[in-house]
Amino acid sequence: MTYKSLLTVMTETQTAPAALAQMVALAESQDAHAEALCLGVDRSQTGYYYAGANALIVQETLSRANAEAKELLNFANDYLGKSGVRWSAEHGVAQIADIGRHVAHRARFSDLVILPHPYGKDRGAEAEPIIEAAMFEGHCPVLVVPDDVEPLTVPRNIMIGWNESVEAMCAIRHALPFLKQAELVRIVVIDPPRHGPDRSDPGGLLSQMLARHGVKCEIDVLSKSMTRVSDILNRHASDTESDLIVMGAYGHSRFREAILGGATRNMLEQSSVPVFLAH
């Protein structure tokens, strides 16, 4: 099992290098095709302009988005052209409210979408919806990479955030190509339920399933010593020198996560290692 079709979506040249570097590294190690979708984003809100200004402003914003798309395409062509992997790149313009449709269409025909962190400096408002569109509408796993880490080729020490959810199991199944190559996979369970079929052996059935795939597993049962689950996962990833975190995404609704916060959002804000997500 390998990832043969890799996709990244570019909307900012400042945030593109980390995702491009990771995509090239995986394309080399997995003998895969790397594809870059370069989108100039029209961020205008045309319904709020004063009467008579719409045509002029729409033309200006579209011209700017087209120029940005061509700049991104040149950046991708230059970067991927020097890589030596099989690659393709194309550009287009999308309104910010409709960008998810374009991303989902391409993600649907990809094995893995590789994207930069959606929060922080130089991140546009479209960064988070792109991740969500790839997972929810494109039904594709996403690898989110920080700016300042070495690209992964074969992760050696992987950490799974396991809470028995459908989302977590989906992420694990999609991550099997990585898990089978790892030297060690840690199944991390935080405050397992005191009642239920797995209360005496939390993570046991999952480790059994993965072992049958040839995955070497250990189970780490942690207490909830910090308020947020994401803080515990990040600290444990640092303590164990994990180079990849696999977890389910958006166990609650996206609206609730956006307003109240959640493990997915907090992890994407704080993680210093790549995070493999699926829903």
Side-chain angles (χ1 to χ4, degrees):
M1 296 176 65
T2 55
Y3 305 108
K4 290 298 185 182
S5 182
L6 307 175
L7 171 71
T8 191
V9 181
M10 299 169 53
T11 59
E12 302 278 356
T13 55
Q14 299 93 325
T15 60
L20 284 171
Q22 180 59 78
M23 185 170 66
V24 167
L26 279 182
E28 290 175 343
S29 64
Q30 306 267 336
D31 188 28
H33 182 95
E35 180 181 4
L37 177 60
C38 308
L39 292 177
V41 182
D42 176 6
R43 298 178 175 85
S44 62
Q45 299 274 346
T46 55
Y48 294 94
Y49 295 129
Y50 59 87
N54 283 6
L56 180 61
I57 294 177
V58 167
Q59 181 60 44
E60 174 62 26
T61 55
L62 284 176
S63 297
R64 186 179 304 166
N66 268 304
E68 290 175 357
K70 291 176 182 177
E71 180 185 1
L72 288 164
L73 180 65
N74 291 335
F75 188 92
N77 286 340
D78 183 61
Y79 194 103
L80 295 172
K82 298 175 182 176
S83 66
V85 302
R86 298 190 302 277
W87 64 276
S88 60
E90 59 182 282
H91 70 296
V93 171
Q95 287 192 319
I96 192 166
D98 191 42
I99 196 169
R101 179 172 61 89
H102 301 277
V103 173
H105 178 70
R106 290 308 181 86
R108 195 172 298 134
F109 301 100
S110 302
D111 296 323
L112 181 64
V113 178
I114 301 167
L115 297 169
H117 264 191
Y119 307 110
K121 185 179 179 181
D122 297 324
R123 268 65 177 176
E126 70 280 355
E128 187 179 34
I130 286 173
I131 292 176
E132 294 177 354
M135 286 191 292
F136 282 83
E137 285 79 44
H139 302 286
C140 186
V142 175
L143 181 63
V144 181
V145 295
D147 292 338
D148 54 354
V149 298
E150 286 294 318
L152 287 173
T153 51
V154 180
R156 298 300 181 186
N157 192 1
I158 300 177
M159 192 180 87
I160 295 174
W162 177 237
N163 60 358
E164 300 184 6
S165 69
V166 173
E167 293 82 10
M169 181 56 77
C170 180
I172 291 164
R173 292 187 191 279
H174 281 299
L176 272 174
F178 283 143
L179 300 177
K180 292 172 70 173
Q181 293 178 306
E183 294 178 0
L184 178 64
V185 174
R186 298 179 183 274
I187 301 171
V188 178
V189 183
I190 300 173
D191 270 1
R194 297 180 181 179
H195 306 284
D198 297 328
R199 65 187 183 279
S200 61
D201 186 19
L205 287 176
L206 175 60
S207 67
Q208 176 181 276
M209 185 198 85
L210 292 177
R212 289 171 178 166
H213 283 279
V215 179
K216 182 180 178 182
C217 302
E218 289 184 2
I219 300 173
D220 295 347
V221 179
L222 308 178
S223 62
K224 193 175 181 183
S225 56
M226 306 173 78
T227 304
R228 300 193 301 190
V229 169
S230 57
D231 293 334
I232 301 171
L233 292 175
N234 276 315
R235 183 179 66 181
H236 197 63
S238 176
D239 291 344
T240 58
E241 298 183 344
S242 298
D243 47 19
L244 178 66
I245 298 172
V246 175
M247 60 182 287
Y250 298 102
H252 301 294
S253 72
R254 283 175 285 178
F255 177 78
R256 179 178 173 183
E257 293 241 359
I259 301 301
L260 301 178
T264 307
R265 182 182 177 90
N266 294 334
M267 183 64 72
L268 293 179
E269 288 177 337
Q270 301 172 9
S271 177
S272 58
V273 300
V275 182
F276 186 103
L277 299 168
H279 180 82

